[in-house]
Amino acid sequence: MNEMTLIAATQAGLAEEMRRDTRVWCLGEDLARGGVFGQYAGFLEEFGPKRVVSTPISEAMIMSAGLGAALAGTRPVVEMRIADFTLCAMDELVNQVAKVRYMFGGQARAPMVIRMPHGLARFSAAQHSQSLEAWLVHIPGLVVLAPATAADCKGLMKAAIRSDDPVILFEPRSIWASTGEVPGGDDVTPIGVARIARRGDDVTLVSWSMTVPLALAAAESAAREGISVEVVDLRSLWPWDKEAVLASVARTRRAVIAHEAVKIAGFGAEIAATIGEELAGTLVAPVVRVGAPRIPVPYAPLLEDAYRVTSEKILAGLRQVARGRSAAHDDRSSATT
Amino acid sequence: MSVAQTNTRVALGLELLRSMIRIRSFEEAARSVHAKGEIPGVLHLSIGQEAMPAGVCANLRLTDTIASTHRGHGHCIAKGAGPAAMMAELFGRLDGTCRGKGGSMHIADFAVGMLGANGVVGGGIGIAVGAAQAARLLGDGRVSACFFGDGAVNRGPFLEGLNWARIYDLPVLFVCEDNGFAAFTRPTETTGGPGAPARARSIGIPTFEVDGNDAMAVHDAAAEALEQCRRGKGPAFLYALTYRIDGHTIADRTPYRSAEEVQLRRADDPIERLRATLAEQGVEAAALMRIAVEAEHEMQAAIAFARASPIPGVHEALSDVQDAGAPS
Ligand SMILES: Cc1ncc(C[n+]2csc(CCOP(=O)(O)OP(=O)(O)O)c2C)c(N)n1
């Protein structure tokens, strides 16, 4: 085990894969200067300019050069700088990358990783702060990952690079500087498997990416109020670990889903609907979703707070579903005796 | 020209003629079965434009790559795809190049380096450039060529792709087929300034302008351009004027142009032109005739193959989406 920052873990994962497989290369703006967040520091020196390609500000071209190069036998890691700029490459991503395998009848694969640091970052306002994961989960052909820990930032980077699918890697940039344990060796995190971040019995709290630490803080506060919360860190959004979520909710019979993205038509809606479809009769409280209001991200700190999902807002959600707790406990105990 | 040189030119002319006639025959065959209702989707035919794919692809090796457009049958055939699997694809059959999942607009044959037609105007540019970048990275000596229409030069990927190829000196040939129309609109109405070749030159890309209905001229210009690419000099640009004889799609009755205009342009048929040249050079009429007859037979066999090919089972709809999180 090694303690490292999330960003360093990310960097280690990419560097290890580039050493392992010479077909892996990366392209994006300012990579020769170490990347906009320093996450490529030292890469140019180690891997050279053919494998660490500093590009013009041409997001559509960054995406489609990655695709063309993937189709021609390499495994590119495509850097979008931040998720918001992916919107300049949306045709390339959605109409081309995601569909080549299918529309060409399986002749082609697009083994590429598309890196998208996402979410709020110190008053960056409407065009530099978005969480758009629900858009991309909606697109057949894409794998969508959203790690929250150092171990998973590294492990999912490695899994993404080894995958033959195009993989979107949403990176939690607001918590990149925090630290966590990273196992040594070839520590690949499996795609599609959730992590139980905290065990609990009364409420299942599902979250991902930068919202996971907030979920854990909310769970801690809830514990002091006598509410035992199980925190599920989803890690993969597509495929998502339905079994893990449903198994937890089947036990707790209450669910809260928390994400930084706008709540309306956010990915929490898919999870809530699935819980409804599979466990409707067993729930003792309606599922609660905690997400941002449907507004562009505002600039002024107080206004940004109105957008921001906080541990307090998540705690309020936990309290809401836990309200009928004693009654629920009663009928659960009567069911077992 | 020496006798040997003349003979090589005649042999090349015959090769280009065969390539163009096969494309024309394929398009006509596709049109005939479409009229019978045997092809479910839309077709964009390239009749009249055959000199471009024939002339360019004659300079490409099997391992070189191309990216194409919605009007991609000709590029596919010229690059070496088999008409039978292509026809089966138009029919939506299991033996189609894309197992019936792509149709005309996504026809592709990776085995011959044909990285796909594209339903998005300009969508192939970045793919061809990226393939050239992979060739550079892998050091395998491949080049790529990218076909697009005059309509694509007003989309962002045109600027982004040309600039990118120039700054990294990638071995890619951009091929702009100006067929006089972007859908129902003439390029003069929508393209500002002196047009595509000037735009390419402004980015510092060596640019060749050629008569797009002269297959030998297209071939020679592409040969010179691709030679530069192969020698590591970076990208080149080939611009050619040609004419779209048919409508934009097979359903387009072209009310926006006169019958006289089309008549006039038909007289400048690239196939007839090369046939006449070859006849002048002493190729016998029978030999020329044989090429057409063989192509006709090949396309009839392709239609028979497509008709006999199985319709994909409904379960095929769920295959080849992705590995992780595949539909069940
Ligand atoms: C991005 C995009 N916009 C619009 C269309 C609809 N469309 C298909 S083909 C076409 C005309 C393209 O003209 P050009 O590039 O000159 O090619 P041509 O059809 O003449 O071969 C249009 C507008 C499209 N497929 N993609």
Side-chain angles (χ1 to χ4, degrees), chain A residues 147-214:
Chain A
T149 65
D152 290 335
C153 279
K154 182 176 181 197
L156 283 175
M157 170 68 81
K158 296 178 79 120
I161 291 172
R162 294 181 192 190
S163 165
D164 284 338
D165 291 321
V167 178
I168 309 296
L169 189 61
F170 280 110
E171 303 188 62
R173 81 164 149 146
S174 57
I175 57 168
W176 251 350
S178 64
T179 62
E181 293 288 330
V182 177
D186 200 20
D187 33 14
V188 179
T189 303
I191 289 173
V193 180
R195 175 181 74 99
I196 305 299
R198 178 190 174 108
R199 299 259 166 216
D201 298 319
D202 298 332
V203 182
T204 300
L205 172 56
V206 182
S207 193
W208 54 88
S209 196
M210 57 284 195
T211 311
V212 170
L214 304 176

Side-chain angles (χ1 to χ4, degrees), chain B residues 44 49 69-71 105 118-122 148-153 155 177 179-184 244 248:
Chain B
H44 301 86
Q49 305 179 209
T69 70
H70 56 285
R71 206 176 298 289
M105 244 186 311
N118 212 301
V120 176
V121 169
F148 51 90
D150 45 279
V153 309
R155 287 207 62 235
E177 303 174 318
N179 62 7
F181 298 94
F184 315 141
R244 193 194 73 207
H248 171 52

